[in-house]
Amino acid sequence: MKPWLLLSLLLLQQTLQSAVGQPAKSKRPKEPGENRIKPSNKKVKTRTPKLKERNSTEPSPKASSIMTRVMEKGHFQKPTATLNLSTGQSIELRCKGNRIEWSYPPYLDTFKDTRLSIKQHERYSQLVLENATAADTGEYSCWLLLCNGYNCKKDESKRGSTYLFFADKEEFFVPAPSYFEVVYLSPDKPAVIPCRVTNPSAKVTLHQEFPAEEIKVDGTNIVYDAKKGFIYQHPTSDQKGVVYCRAESRGTPQISIKYQLLYMEVPYGPPSTTIKASSNKLQGGSDVNILCRVLGQPDVEVEFNWMYPGQEYKRPVNIQDSWRLIDRGVGHTTRLSESIITVEDLETIDAGNYVCVAQNLRGQTAVATQVELI
């Protein structure tokens, strides 16, 4: 075979091998660093658990808000933490869920205000407040209920909340049910003077009645929150007295109701109970009064229950409960609660032990000393 023909065949063979993608034997070996691209696949795999981990912590309270505000023309908007509105306006809020519970200013329930309506639909609950007033200022919140039969509990992970300010040109402060209110100062918890405003931009100051002067609000020991009022972080007996708030908007001032600050220093625990009868030795046909007295914290109510000999026979008796605040020393105020049971025209079945059981609203119970009638 001719040399030029042999050379042509060799060149043709190399061209065919290159076309079919076969690597040439003379290809250089890979450098050590060139194989490091492979572990990048492992990095992609490790990202997947991280995404799952992030999802497992959801829903966070902020991200899982179920509340929306219905705007004009059927548009919806997530409400912010506070909304500034004007009196006379109406607002509609919705919360997603087939069973929703709402919270709103309690006076709307007290007076059964027809301006407020709540309807539960198949997939959401609807709250509508019409022709709002300054008194409607407050927090409106909702949460999903998880029910098993008749037992329901709140799902705190699925809730929504917003604070509505309804500004009024004549009412700078949210109206109070009375012209005077008592605020208890306790050394172990903050105290709130609830002079809330209807317009958060109003300038509010705190004043004491005697001596007449403004109380310094330093932002540490005393702070102001437009949603709550003035907060005494660490109350002391020196702060007791009568105070009021002053609000100013566009140069116009307005005064709030007055607040009586009472300092209390009563140990937390069961109420202190005593019992006393008008006489322990009585004859048939006479009357007897048995007094049960309880000393406790000024801001904690007490409920009385009596056990007496004629109770199982449904013996008619008269029971009267009352309470008042008393001063037990410099700066120490205590709540005195009393219950009097009166048994008239004593009979044989009335002889025996009379027991007074006093329970405060914290579930703490005390049993009074027993009195035996002979």
Side-chain angles (χ1 to χ4, degrees):
M1 182 178 292
K2 295 181 179 182
W4 61 268
L5 181 60
L6 179 60
L7 181 60
S8 299
L9 290 174
L10 289 174
L11 291 173
L12 178 62
Q13 183 181 6
Q14 288 181 355
T15 304
L16 290 174
Q17 287 178 349
S18 178
V20 298
Q22 293 182 356
K25 292 183 181 180
S26 62
K27 187 175 181 181
R28 67 175 179 83
K30 293 182 179 179
E31 296 294 332
E34 288 184 302
N35 285 330
R36 291 178 185 172
I37 193 172
K38 289 185 178 180
S40 64
N41 293 332
K42 294 182 181 179
K43 289 184 179 179
V44 173
K45 290 181 181 179
T46 58
R47 290 177 184 173
T48 304
K50 290 184 179 179
L51 288 174
K52 290 182 179 178
E53 224 172 84
R54 195 155 49 241
N55 290 336
S56 66
T57 61
E58 295 179 358
S60 63
K62 189 173 182 180
S64 62
S65 176
I66 59 176
M67 178 182 287
T68 56
R69 179 188 175 190
V70 180
M71 309 299 289
E72 294 180 358
K73 299 180 180 179
H75 293 144
F76 297 88
Q77 187 180 74
K78 288 285 185 182
T80 54
T82 59
L83 290 176
N84 300 327
L85 307 173
S86 300
T87 54
Q89 284 189 256
S90 298
I91 187 170
E92 179 181 342
L93 300 174
R94 292 186 182 183
C95 286
K96 296 179 182 178
N98 58 359
R99 186 167 293 187
I100 297 294
E101 186 172 338
W102 290 87
S103 174
Y104 43 83
Y107 95 96
L108 288 169
D109 272 339
T110 303
F111 297 100
K112 296 181 180 180
D113 204 317
T114 57
R115 296 179 300 112
L116 177 72
S117 63
I118 296 177
K119 293 182 181 179
Q120 178 66 58
H121 299 272
E122 184 178 356
R123 296 184 179 180
Y124 67 91
S125 181
Q126 174 191 47
L127 180 148
V128 177
L129 178 64
E130 299 178 343
N131 193 21
T133 67
D136 299 325
T137 297
E139 184 174 11
Y140 292 74
S141 56
C142 65
W143 50 86
L144 181 67
L145 290 179
L146 300 177
C147 298
N148 183 10
Y150 292 102
N151 297 323
C152 297
K153 63 178 182 179
K154 298 178 182 178
D155 185 354
E156 294 293 348
S157 65
K158 295 181 180 179
R159 59 172 298 155
S161 178
T162 185
Y163 193 97
L164 304 181
F165 288 98
F166 291 104
D168 191 317
K169 295 180 181 179
E170 298 181 359
E171 294 281 357
F172 293 175
F173 294 101
V174 178
S178 63
Y179 294 99
F180 195 84
E181 190 171 329
V182 175
V183 175
Y184 299 104
L185 305 178
S186 177
D188 58 352
K189 63 180 181 180
V192 179
I193 301 173
C195 49
R196 298 181 296 127
V197 290
T198 60
N199 186 347
S201 63
K203 180 182 177 181
V204 188
T205 53
L206 181 63
H207 302 258
Q208 64 183 18
E209 188 175 50
F210 183 81
E213 62 182 12
E214 181 178 339
I215 299 175
K216 183 180 179 181
V217 178
D218 56 10
T220 302
N221 294 316
I222 303 178
V223 299
Y224 179 70
D225 186 339
K227 299 178 183 178
K228 298 178 181 179
F230 288 96
I231 304 172
Y232 284 42
Q233 300 286 11
H234 307 286
T236 64
S237 60
D238 296 335
Q239 294 170 326
K240 60 186 173 70
V242 178
V243 300
Y244 61 90
C245 303
R246 181 181 185 273
E248 185 175 328
S249 180
R250 296 181 180 179
T252 303
Q254 193 173 101
I255 302 299
S256 72
I257 67 171
K258 294 181 179 180
Y259 300 91
Q260 174 72 58
L261 308 187
L262 297 178
Y263 184 77
M264 62 177 187
E265 198 168 28
V266 179
Y268 282 81
S272 173
T273 313
T274 58
I275 191 170
K276 182 180 180 180
S278 55
S279 177
N280 283 18
K281 297 181 180 180
L282 295 171
Q283 297 179 350
S286 57
D287 302 337
V288 64
N289 296 319
I290 302 174
L291 171 64
C292 184
R293 307 183 73 182
V294 172
L295 294 177
Q297 300 166 60
D299 58 341
V300 180
E301 295 182 14
V302 174
E303 294 182 352
F304 292 96
N305 286 292
W306 285 91
M307 292 181 286
Y308 49 92
Q311 195 168 15
E312 58 180 311
Y313 301 103
K314 297 183 179 179
R315 173 72 157 97
V317 296
N318 182 30
I319 299 176
Q320 292 184 342
D321 299 338
S322 62
W323 69 273
R324 66 182 185 274
L325 297 177
I326 60 174
D327 191 356
R328 302 194 69 193
V330 179
H332 292 77
T333 303
T334 303
R335 185 188 187 103
L336 172 62
S337 303
E338 296 181 336
S339 182
I340 302 176
I341 181 172
T342 302
V343 184
E344 299 177 347
D345 194 14
L346 288 174
E347 301 177 10
T348 305
I349 61 172
D350 298 321
N353 291 328
Y354 286 72
V355 180
C356 170
V357 179
Q359 183 177 48
N360 61 24
L361 295 186
R362 289 193 173 96
Q364 298 164 325
T365 305
V367 179
T369 306
Q370 298 180 354
V371 174
E372 183 176 356
L373 298 181
I374 301 175

